[in-house]
């Protein structure tokens, strides 16, 4: 069974616009971080959200089309797999059906108290990925 797509609406702020009149590349990183964290909070139980933090390890972004102030992009977030304390995400930012950017990112789960890497329990992973892998 495939993982579910989590939709995250993005609000383009005037501060996101660069000198060329479209969204600055740095804003995409901000959006992906917000979308992935929203995905975690949407599926994880409250106690798991309180016990774990996520930090980005790597982002690979492919820009397809520019995004403008009047756009209402949507992030389509999929958790592809969890391996140890790492999670691997694919986030596609779209304007309607048009792909604006594709992002592959890896994240590390941390224990909120110790700030050390933490593995997620199998039943928690299955909330995100049916079958757990």
């Amino acid at each position: 069974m495939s993982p579910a797509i989590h939709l995250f609406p993005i609000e383009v702020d005037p501060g996101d616009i660069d000198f060329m009149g479209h969204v600055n590349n740095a804003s995409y990183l901000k959006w992906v971080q917000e979308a992935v964290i929203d995905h975690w909070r949407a599926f994880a139980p409250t106690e798991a959200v309180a016990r774990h933090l996520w930090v980005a390890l790597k982002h690979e972004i492919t820009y397809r089309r520019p995004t403008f102030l009047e756009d209402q992009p949507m992030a389509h977030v999929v958790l592809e797999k969890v391996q140890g304390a790492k999670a691997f995400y694919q986030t596609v930012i779209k304007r309607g059906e048009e792909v604006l950017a594709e992002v592959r990112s890896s994240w590390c789960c941390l224990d909120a108290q110790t700030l050390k890497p933490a593995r997620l329990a199998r039943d928690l992973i299955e909330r995100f990925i049916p079958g757990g892998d």
Side-chain angles (χ1 to χ4, degrees):
M1 185 179 277
S2 297
I5 295 174
H6 176 69
L7 299 177
F8 179 77
I10 296 168
E11 193 170 317
V12 181
D13 183 87
D16 293 322
I17 305 303
D18 66 13
F19 67 96
M20 294 186 293
H22 55 70
V23 171
N24 184 286
N25 292 357
S27 294
Y28 291 87
L29 294 174
K30 175 185 70 170
W31 295 343
V32 169
Q33 177 138 345
E34 291 170 352
V36 166
I37 298 303
D38 188 71
H39 176 258
W40 166 248
R41 291 180 178 151
F43 288 96
T46 305
E47 62 275 5
V49 171
R51 283 194 322 262
H52 300 96
L53 303 172
W54 289 94
V55 296
L57 299 174
K58 182 178 182 178
H59 294 293
E60 294 177 10
I61 303 177
T62 303
Y63 300 99
R64 300 287 181 199
R65 302 242 186 278
T67 306
F68 302 98
L69 183 60
E70 66 278 1
D71 290 339
Q72 296 178 332
M74 181 74 70
H76 299 242
V77 181
V78 174
L79 174 58
E80 294 182 315
K81 73 177 180 176
V82 175
Q83 199 171 31
K86 288 184 181 179
F88 299 87
Y89 276 88
Q90 179 177 350
T91 305
V92 178
I93 299 173
K94 294 182 175 184
R95 174 178 48 230
E97 292 302 311
E98 187 176 32
V99 175
L100 303 172
E102 297 169 302
V103 185
R104 291 198 170 281
S105 57
S106 58
W107 298 75
C108 183
C109 180
L110 301 178
D111 179 284
Q113 288 187 330
T114 67
L115 300 181
K116 293 186 179 188
R119 291 177 178 258
L120 296 176
R122 171 82 35 213
D123 63 323
L124 185 53
I125 294 169
E126 288 182 354
R127 287 175 171 259
F128 296 88
I129 305 174
D133 48 23

